[in-house]
Amino acid sequence: MNPSAATAAPRPIDIALLTSVFIIAACGLLYELAAGALASYLLGDSVLQFSTVIGTYLFAMGVGSWLSRYFDRQLPAHFLRIELLVALVGGALPAVLFLANAYVPSAFRVLLYGMVLLVGTLVGLEIPLVMRILKRNIRFKEVVSQVLTFDYLGALAVSMAFPLLLVPHLGLVRTGLLFGFMNAAVAVWALWLFRHELRRLRAHALACVAVMLVLLAGVWGAEHITRFAEDKFYQDSIVISSASPYQRIVVTSGRAGHRLYLNGNLQFAEHDEYRYHEALVHPAMAAHGNPKRVAVLGGGDGMAVREILKYPGVESVTLVELDPAMTRLFSENPILRRLNGDALTNPKVRIVNTDAFQWLQEGRDTFDVIVVDFPDPTNFAIGKLYTSSFYALLDQRLAASGYAVVQTTSPLVARKSFWTVVNTIESVGLTARPYHAHVPSFGEWGFVIASRRPWRLPDALPPGLRFLDAASLPLLFDFPRDMARVDTEVNRLSNQVLVHTYEREWGVVH
């Protein structure tokens, strides 16, 4: 190395390469986040999926860094080729995985980790090659500090933009392809910067043009790709699809009416949702006698609120839903407003978009009835809402004569999971009264009423119900032998046994 060159100020070519490092880092982290998000959407248990994806990706980067030692000559040419490969494989990763989940779901895991390994290895090759190119003109210690600075800045930028801007506004497929295009743009930049060093310049230029055209075509057709995959996955035609920082929301329409899916999991079907929501709401509401202040935790579709508003004495309903995209859709879309009877636009209803756990911690108001309508505990983020800590907070927000009701998965398919929730509610000093109802779209489904006073059979139910009546209501509280109580642990924040139990029980069925 020329000593005078080592002490010279960075040339424009070096500044361009450092800018490339920023883009490379941003793209590399985005592919990692996209893979983790898709795995958690489609496989559940976000902690496990993100941990394994990130671990695999970092391992692959280490492999790539080790392999970089075998690249001795024509470093700019190798760098350019690697950028194009990263652009193609990384950019296409979300689209390919979406399509694989729809058409060959059995191959999804193999393809997921195979692509993560490949992209991680290629990304692991990038930075060592850039450092070796820069070392020709900048002192090594300055190379390391500058490259790592730009690398970390790129990672910071995309980690903030991914959940707040990119996924909600562009979707995973278009975001992946757009960042692949950015990787390809770095390759074009390298083509220009090193045009005097590159052999077969024309072939490199054609490769850059071909890759960019493929990615541009993908960006243009991203919505078609997503819809093509989802149409196959959901069978029925999709009438609404939306991505938020928290989940992908899809509403389909078919012979059985509309269905709501969150991250691919069915939440309700129009033809029988009344069975679920009547069973969820009325045993607690009718038994109270005169509920005036009611809270709904989860249930952003407004169906539970619709049932609550059948009680004229109710003065206020507070709906606590984490995802504002859910409450906005079900407040504004004409199809969805028809399904919930315009419940979310009722003047008695106040919508609070926040985490229910945090809302319970920070509030002081008490309620006559609290309806807890969360998704099943498929991951630790949801599992915390089924813990003893959560139910202790719930107890504090219940009026002395109040009732809380919790949807509690299937006591037939996930028998141990169901009774884990019952045991956890009882562990904080509340009386638990479990019951179940048959909902054709889900099978046998379970609920638990929690209170300080014993639950009593109500004298009457609101008029106009399609499923429940006073005569059939006692039958819901009878458990046959194959759903009878079993011994379980208490689900605590420190162990989250329910998530593991739920995954084992539903995994046997799936």
Side-chain angles (χ1 to χ4, degrees), residues 337-359:
R337 288 175 61 181
R338 177 181 62 80
L339 292 179
N340 64 28
D342 271 333
L344 299 188
T345 60
N346 190 291
K348 293 182 179 181
V349 177
R350 181 173 73 99
I351 298 172
V352 181
N353 293 124
T354 190
D355 178 76
F357 202 109
Q358 182 180 346
W359 180 79

Side-chain angles (χ1 to χ4, degrees), residues 393-467:
L393 292 171
L394 191 70
D395 180 24
Q396 294 174 17
R397 305 297 295 276
L398 265 182
S401 60
Y403 291 116
V405 59
V406 182
Q407 91 78 17
T408 321
T409 196
S410 171
L412 180 63
V413 176
R415 183 177 176 184
K416 192 168 185 179
S417 298
F418 177 84
W419 292 105
T420 296
V421 176
V422 175
N423 190 22
T424 303
I425 289 172
E426 292 174 340
S427 74
V428 301
L430 290 168
T431 298
R433 189 69 188 267
Y435 63 102
H436 61 97
H438 184 72
V439 183
S441 293
F442 299 102
E444 207 64 38
W445 212 254
F447 311 86
V448 183
I449 294 174
S451 60
R452 295 176 199 151
R453 61 167 172 156
W455 180 84
R456 63 176 181 82
L457 193 68
D459 298 325
L461 295 170
L465 300 188
R466 299 168 61 190
F467 170 49

Side-chain angles (χ1 to χ4, degrees), residues 212-234:
M212 295 189 84
L213 286 175
V214 168
L215 291 168
L216 275 176
V219 171
W220 177 80
E223 194 62 34
H224 298 288
I225 295 171
T226 303
R227 193 168 288 273
F228 184 66
E230 289 184 335
D231 282 346
K232 173 68 175 178
F233 180 79
Y234 294 110

Side-chain angles (χ1 to χ4, degrees), residues 30-31 34 38 41 90-99 162 166-167 169-181 215 217-230 243 248:
L30 182 123
Y31 305 142
L38 271 169
Y41 282 180
L93 183 145
V96 170
L97 291 178
F98 260 126
L99 291 168
F162 182 78
L166 297 172
V167 173
H169 296 289
L170 298 178
L172 273 173
V173 171
R174 185 174 280 114
T175 296
L177 290 163
L178 181 63
F179 273 72
F181 185 82
L215 291 168
V219 171
W220 177 80
E223 194 62 34
H224 298 288
I225 295 171
T226 303
R227 193 168 288 273
F228 184 66
E230 289 184 335
R248 182 156 187 83

Side-chain angles (χ1 to χ4, degrees), residues 91-424:
L93 183 145
V96 170
L97 291 178
F98 260 126
L99 291 168
N101 182 64
Y103 288 89
V104 280
S106 60
F108 179 81
R109 288 179 187 269
V110 174
L111 195 58
L112 167 69
Y113 289 102
M115 294 188 77
V116 167
L117 280 168
L118 180 55
V119 174
T121 301
L122 292 170
V123 171
L125 283 165
E126 290 174 314
I127 299 300
L129 292 182
V130 171
M131 292 177 69
R132 287 165 64 185
I133 293 170
L134 285 169
K135 198 175 73 169
R136 297 183 297 190
N137 302 295
I138 305 175
R139 285 185 298 182
F140 181 71
K141 68 176 183 179
E142 292 178 0
V143 168
V144 173
S145 66
Q146 291 179 10
V147 167
L148 292 181
T149 297
F150 278 80
D151 183 68
Y152 296 147
L153 286 173
L156 173 64
V158 82
S159 67
M160 299 295 289
F162 182 78
L164 300 177
L165 297 173
L166 297 172
V167 173
H169 296 289
L170 298 178
L172 273 173
V173 171
R174 185 174 280 114
T175 296
L177 290 163
L178 181 63
F179 273 72
F181 185 82
M182 290 168 61
N183 262 129
V186 170
V188 172
W189 202 341
L191 178 73
W192 173 255
L193 292 175
F194 301 106
R195 61 192 181 279
H196 301 301
E197 296 183 43
L198 292 170
R199 303 169 185 170
R200 303 175 62 192
L201 183 65
R202 182 181 176 83
H204 287 304
L206 288 173
C208 288
V209 170
V211 169
M212 295 189 84
L213 286 175
V214 168
L215 291 168
L216 275 176
V219 171
W220 177 80
E223 194 62 34
H224 298 288
I225 295 171
T226 303
R227 193 168 288 273
F228 184 66
E230 289 184 335
D231 282 346
K232 173 68 175 178
F233 180 79
Y234 294 110
Q235 303 298 323
D236 292 338
S237 61
I238 296 171
V239 293
I240 299 168
S241 63
S242 175
S244 78
Y246 306 103
Q247 58 201 348
R248 182 156 187 83
I249 305 166
V250 172
V251 178
T252 66
S253 178
R255 298 170 72 180
H258 293 86
R259 298 173 188 261
L260 170 68
Y261 295 85
L262 299 181
N263 293 340
N265 298 310
L266 179 65
Q267 302 302 303
F268 72 71
E270 182 180 357
H271 75 283
D272 62 8
E273 58 81 13
Y274 69 91
R275 278 180 156 255
Y276 172 88
H277 290 104
E278 287 184 15
L280 172 68
V281 169
H282 295 296
M285 287 288 293
H288 184 278
N290 188 29
K292 295 185 180 301
R293 293 169 52 83
V294 181
V296 179
L297 310 185
D301 52 38
M303 305 298 189
V305 176
R306 178 195 65 201
E307 297 301 316
I308 290 166
L309 292 174
K310 292 178 179 178
Y311 294 81
V314 170
E315 296 175 355
S316 68
V317 181
T318 301
L319 173 62
V320 183
E321 164 63 48
L322 177 64
D323 191 352
M326 274 287 290
T327 50
R328 185 169 56 252
L329 272 173
F330 281 85
S331 298
E332 299 175 357
N333 186 278
I335 296 172
L336 305 180
R337 288 175 61 181
R338 177 181 62 80
L339 292 179
N340 64 28
D342 271 333
L344 299 188
T345 60
N346 190 291
K348 293 182 179 181
V349 177
R350 181 173 73 99
I351 298 172
V352 181
N353 293 124
T354 190
D355 178 76
F357 202 109
Q358 182 180 346
W359 180 79
L360 288 176
Q361 285 179 315
E362 296 176 353
R364 293 291 178 268
D365 296 339
T366 59
F367 297 87
D368 299 314
V369 174
I370 301 178
V371 177
V372 182
D373 191 17
F374 297 131
D376 278 7
T378 54
N379 59 59
F380 294 118
I382 302 174
K384 74 176 184 179
L385 305 174
Y386 289 82
T387 60
S388 55
S389 300
F390 180 85
Y391 295 132
L393 292 171
L394 191 70
D395 180 24
Q396 294 174 17
R397 305 297 295 276
L398 265 182
S401 60
Y403 291 116
V405 59
V406 182
Q407 91 78 17
T408 321
T409 196
S410 171
L412 180 63
V413 176
R415 183 177 176 184
K416 192 168 185 179
S417 298
F418 177 84
W419 292 105
T420 296
V421 176
V422 175
N423 190 22
T424 303

